[in-house]
Amino acid sequence: MKKLKMKAIILQDYMNEVNFFFLLFKKIFRLKISTIIDYHDLIARWAYYNSKNKLKRLLEPLHVAINEVINPRLAGKIIAVTNFLKDFIFHRSKINRGLVIPEVFKSPYQIEVNYDKNELRRKLGLNPHSVILIWAGFLAGFAVDDILFLITAISLSRNKNKILLLLLAWGASKDTIITINNFAKEVGVNIKYLGYIDNRKLLYWEYLMASDIGVFIRPRTLFSHALTGRKVQDYIGVGLPVIVPCLAGQLEIIKQNGLCYKPEDVLDLAKKIDEILNLDLISMGMKSRKIANSILNYVKNLILSEDFKDFLIN
């Protein structure tokens, strides 16, 4: 029986320090294994964003350097979810071997092309006459400010009385939920906090499909440019038009289908909410699904290609 020989290993970017020690070990002992770092974010910058901890602020430059310069140099190759992220790591680390493999739409359920949105709303107890915006994600840290920002923008919209904001969120403390609900009530915005629903359950996808527009919020930071927003793929995959910040990673994914607002500009977001409601949401939703399918087909073809196999092992 032949011994299995490992020819390549893909390291996850969030294991920053572990990756560093593994890559250092590999270099010292001259192990002949092809190593690739899979970047989904600028994780070190994200982890330290707005930290008030003095020790963390002191360590931030070192961890950023390990993540963006040292580790990719030691590995020699990267995979990134956006062209912006690939080019940024190339520039920082001076390497030149990498591929872009974007996030793909992954639902365990078959999403029908012409599903009945009103029937879903009746099933879920949602007003069939509301314009439903949905935000999905981890609701802690700076994401709390993102939601307060979104609620403020809706309160400034000319259509605020028609809008229902669904928060399909997890990670929020009881105090955070109370703060958000109280703020929404104070500014006259109708919200429904759904809490955590596992995306392996049909209910998660039903809430997405029952909505009119998917919204993604991020602060104006370097790490925000790098990522696509995994939930954006869920939005477009079920056929929702989207509103995203005008940041490189998001713009790569939506491909001019949907609207972008100036990050941290609440008036511009309010304007874009009103603007999108005057557009053909059904047509935009159909185009969203085509974009999600084209991304999936691109990734499938890339992974099955000889070029990808060569990239992995050589």
Side-chain angles (χ1 to χ4, degrees):
M1 184 176 177
K2 288 185 177 180
K3 290 184 179 180
L4 289 173
K5 186 177 180 181
M6 185 182 295
K7 292 187 176 181
I9 184 167
I10 298 176
L11 306 173
Q12 295 299 305
D13 61 338
Y14 64 86
M15 302 289 288
N16 196 28
E17 288 74 27
V18 173
N19 290 346
F20 170 71
F21 287 112
F22 171 78
L23 291 165
L24 195 61
F25 178 87
K26 177 200 162 195
K27 185 174 181 65
I28 291 170
F29 291 95
R30 299 181 181 181
L31 301 179
K32 296 186 182 300
I33 304 171
S34 174
T35 49
I36 303 143
I37 303 177
D38 187 13
Y39 281 91
H40 287 252
D41 205 338
L42 294 174
I43 192 68
R45 294 178 189 267
W46 177 88
Y48 289 96
Y49 179 67
N50 274 357
S51 174
K52 294 179 175 60
N53 184 301
K54 291 182 179 179
L55 179 60
K56 286 187 74 173
R57 289 205 304 268
L58 187 66
L59 292 174
E60 179 180 4
L62 173 61
H63 286 206
V64 167
I66 290 172
N67 183 243
E68 299 171 10
V69 181
I70 299 171
N71 281 353
R73 281 187 187 174
L74 289 171
K77 294 183 287 186
I78 65 166
I79 292 171
V81 290
T82 62
N83 284 291
F84 175 90
L85 182 52
K86 176 178 76 76
D87 293 343
F88 179 79
I89 297 295
F90 276 14
H91 174 75
R92 289 274 283 153
S93 65
K94 309 304 180 188
I95 67 169
N96 60 9
R97 294 199 68 194
L99 292 176
V100 175
I101 303 181
E103 300 278 1
V104 297
F105 173 63
K106 294 176 286 189
S107 170
Y109 301 94
Q110 181 68 37
I111 306 297
E112 298 295 330
V113 174
N114 296 311
Y115 56 81
D116 190 332
K117 198 177 289 285
N118 286 328
E119 178 59 33
L120 282 169
R121 290 188 179 191
R122 282 191 289 271
K123 176 183 176 181
L124 299 171
L126 301 172
N127 188 337
H129 305 295
S130 292
V131 175
I132 299 181
L133 275 60
I134 191 163
W135 179 95
F138 183 72
L139 188 49
F142 66 80
V144 178
D145 293 330
D146 290 347
I147 293 302
L148 297 177
F149 171 82
L150 173 57
I151 292 170
T152 302
I154 294 172
S155 75
L156 299 172
S157 163
R158 295 191 304 271
N159 296 283
K160 92 169 181 178
N161 293 329
K162 302 177 186 176
I163 294 173
L164 168 64
L165 173 63
L166 298 182
L167 298 178
L168 191 52
W170 57 94
S173 66
K174 185 177 179 180
D175 287 344
T176 294
I177 298 168
I178 292 171
T179 297
I180 288 171
N181 281 322
N182 287 345
F183 181 70
K185 186 176 180 180
E186 180 184 327
V187 297
V189 172
N190 189 17
I191 72 169
K192 184 178 179 67
Y193 179 80
L194 302 172
Y196 173 69
I197 302 174
D198 195 315
N199 64 6
R200 291 172 295 183
K201 293 184 177 179
L202 180 60
L203 185 61
Y204 171 88
W205 301 100
E206 287 178 331
Y207 272 114
L208 291 182
M209 291 187 287
S211 302
D212 293 299
I213 301 161
V215 186
F216 184 71
I217 308 292
R218 272 292 183 270
R220 186 176 58 240
T221 64
L222 183 59
F223 68 77
S224 294
H225 278 284
L227 75 165
T228 58
R230 295 182 186 183
K231 296 306 172 187
V232 175
Q233 288 290 351
D234 289 351
Y235 300 155
I236 67 174
V238 301
L240 296 186
V242 293
I243 300 175
V244 301
C246 300
L247 297 166
Q250 286 83 57
L251 298 181
E252 284 184 33
I253 294 301
I254 69 169
K255 303 184 189 305
Q256 300 181 332
N257 183 54
L259 295 181
C260 78
Y261 68 91
K262 299 172 186 173
E264 300 183 15
D265 187 333
V266 72
L267 293 177
D268 192 53
L269 177 54
K271 177 183 174 183
K272 295 302 164 55
I273 290 170
D274 288 331
E275 190 177 325
I276 202 169
L277 295 182
N278 289 322
L279 301 177
D280 185 346
L281 298 182
I282 294 174
S283 176
M284 293 174 71
M286 291 174 64
K287 189 173 179 182
S288 285
R289 292 199 68 165
K290 288 179 181 177
I291 290 169
N293 287 333
S294 71
I295 292 170
L296 179 59
N297 288 333
Y298 162 78
V299 172
K300 282 181 177 177
N301 291 334
L302 175 62
I303 290 174
L304 293 173
S305 70
E306 287 299 317
D307 287 345
F308 182 70
K309 181 179 177 181
D310 180 69
F311 173 78
L312 286 180
I313 62 178
N314 295 318

